[in-house]
Amino acid sequence: MFKSSPFYPKSDQAMVTARSAELHVLSFLWFASNKCDLRDVASRFGLSLSSQFRINDRVMEFLIKIAPSIIKMPKSDAEKESVAKDFKMIALIPHALGCIDSTSITIRTPKHKVKSTYVNRHDIPAITLQGICDSKKRFLDAFTGPPGKIHDARVLKLSGVLDWLPRLCNEKYYLLGDGAYPLRQWLITPYRNIGHFTESQKHFNKKFSATRVKIENTFGLLKGRFRQLTQIDMHEVNKITKFIICCCVMHNLCIYNDDLINYNEYDNEEVIMTDEYVQDITVTDVQLKLAGESKRNNLKEYLLYLNN
């Protein structure tokens, strides 16, 4: 596909015959999969530093181009039912269309940027990657770019997911998110322990966590496959975000082709409970939350019924 794409040149600069498409892909894969610098990759593949730089750019542009066909939400009723059925097999939670969460990708402070605007709660410069995954740990949606200091609920708004998710879920389906997200009919979050935690709520949270952990596993697997994500040494935000999305595309391609690995160092980040998402509350927000609470209560009773 890369060889037949417009991103693969017939000749390199100065009318030199272009390197093979295979070398383009393999050298980029080596760079993404190992924590090494560009000079090391160029040396391994017998290339100059400038050639490797151009090769990486070409492959990244190609992967970004095919991303919409590799990372995509289920659209048809049959696709939705298939995804929901796989989720139900985990802990009996019905009609789940995906799990959503965000993770920090450590970076160098981008050039011409102030470090304090990018540091996360650990005081490390980072960019946030928001992902939605299915039960097979494939990305259904990926969004990145916001600085690490921005709260998950704010990233959700910036991502544009709210523009199409309610329509896609159509009252039947929903995503599973942690306590950092607002409770909605199409985005279910766990019960919070505010002093009167019932057994049925504990049971629901246990089933919920067993299912929602898939997104944590997905992030861990992504960072395990592509070690360059442990700290991206690029200087431009645009290039950093492209590289992150490229890794998500390759991650999905691995799973589609049954290239599976067992990676146990999952990215289990602690959840910071804040009320950022309830700022500027409107009547509509209250109604949406009440609808979400009603749906969550119905799910709780359904799971309790199955348990009995």
Side-chain angles (χ1 to χ4, degrees), residues 226-266:
F226 305 109
R227 302 303 296 170
Q228 200 68 230
L229 294 176
T230 57
Q231 181 176 358
I232 301 178
D233 293 320
M234 297 177 182
H235 299 282
E236 299 175 4
V237 174
N238 184 50
K239 184 165 288 190
I240 293 170
T241 57
K242 283 184 178 180
F243 179 73
I244 294 172
I245 296 299
C246 287
C247 289
C248 294
V249 171
M250 294 189 294
H251 169 89
N252 275 17
L253 288 173
C254 288
I255 296 177
Y256 283 133
N257 289 278
D258 297 322
D259 180 12
L260 307 176
I261 61 172
N262 292 319
Y263 189 76
N264 297 318
E265 296 178 19
Y266 299 132

Side-chain angles (χ1 to χ4, degrees), residues 98-101 130-132 156 175-178 181 187 212 215:
C99 302
I100 185 171
D101 202 0
Q130 175 186 276
I132 300 174
L156 177 65
L175 300 184
L176 305 179
D178 62 22
Y181 294 105
L187 178 52
R212 201 200 68 83
I215 186 63

Side-chain angles (χ1 to χ4, degrees), residues 64-273:
I64 291 296
K65 180 70 174 179
I66 67 171
S69 64
I70 306 299
I71 302 175
K72 55 184 178 179
M73 292 292 295
K75 297 293 177 65
S76 68
D77 291 340
E79 290 174 334
K80 293 177 186 178
E81 281 299 321
S82 177
V83 172
K85 182 180 178 181
D86 289 340
F87 270 120
K88 189 174 182 180
M89 293 177 65
I90 299 173
L92 300 179
I93 293 182
H95 309 314
L97 207 56
C99 302
I100 185 171
D101 202 0
S102 293
T103 187
S104 286
I105 306 292
T106 303
I107 62 171
R108 296 175 62 179
T109 303
K111 65 180 181 181
H112 309 310
K113 302 291 183 180
V114 179
K115 179 181 178 181
S116 60
T117 63
Y118 278 86
V119 295
N120 58 20
R121 64 180 180 271
H122 302 298
D123 201 34
I124 299 172
I127 274 183
T128 299
L129 167 63
Q130 175 186 276
I132 300 174
C133 77
D134 64 10
S135 64
K136 298 177 181 177
K137 305 174 190 175
R138 296 177 299 199
F139 283 102
L140 303 178
D141 186 77
F143 169 75
T144 188
K149 71 183 300 180
I150 296 181
H151 187 269
D152 287 359
R154 177 62 178 161
V155 175
L156 177 65
K157 292 180 181 179
L158 294 173
S159 69
V161 167
L162 300 183
D163 296 335
W164 50 262
L165 184 59
R167 184 172 62 256
L168 180 70
C169 291
N170 195 26
E171 296 187 1
K172 179 179 181 180
Y173 300 99
Y174 48 84
L175 300 184
L176 305 179
D178 62 22
Y181 294 105
L183 175 61
R184 297 289 185 263
Q185 234 184 338
W186 33 264
L187 178 52
I188 303 299
T189 61
Y191 286 96
R192 298 178 66 176
N193 187 357
I194 55 176
H196 46 83
F197 214 36
T198 66
E199 289 301 318
S200 60
Q201 290 175 338
K202 291 180 181 177
H203 178 70
F204 172 84
N205 279 9
K206 182 178 179 180
K207 297 289 186 180
F208 182 94
S209 297
T211 307
R212 201 200 68 83
V213 75
K214 287 295 181 181
I215 186 63
E216 306 287 355
N217 298 164
T218 301
F219 286 141
L221 190 57
L222 175 73
K223 294 178 180 180
R225 291 184 189 277
F226 305 109
R227 302 303 296 170
Q228 200 68 230
L229 294 176
T230 57
Q231 181 176 358
I232 301 178
D233 293 320
M234 297 177 182
H235 299 282
E236 299 175 4
V237 174
N238 184 50
K239 184 165 288 190
I240 293 170
T241 57
K242 283 184 178 180
F243 179 73
I244 294 172
I245 296 299
C246 287
C247 289
C248 294
V249 171
M250 294 189 294
H251 169 89
N252 275 17
L253 288 173
C254 288
I255 296 177
Y256 283 133
N257 289 278
D258 297 322
D259 180 12
L260 307 176
I261 61 172
N262 292 319
Y263 189 76
N264 297 318
E265 296 178 19
Y266 299 132
D267 184 48
N268 293 317
E269 299 183 358
E270 63 173 317
V271 176
I272 304 297
M273 297 292 189

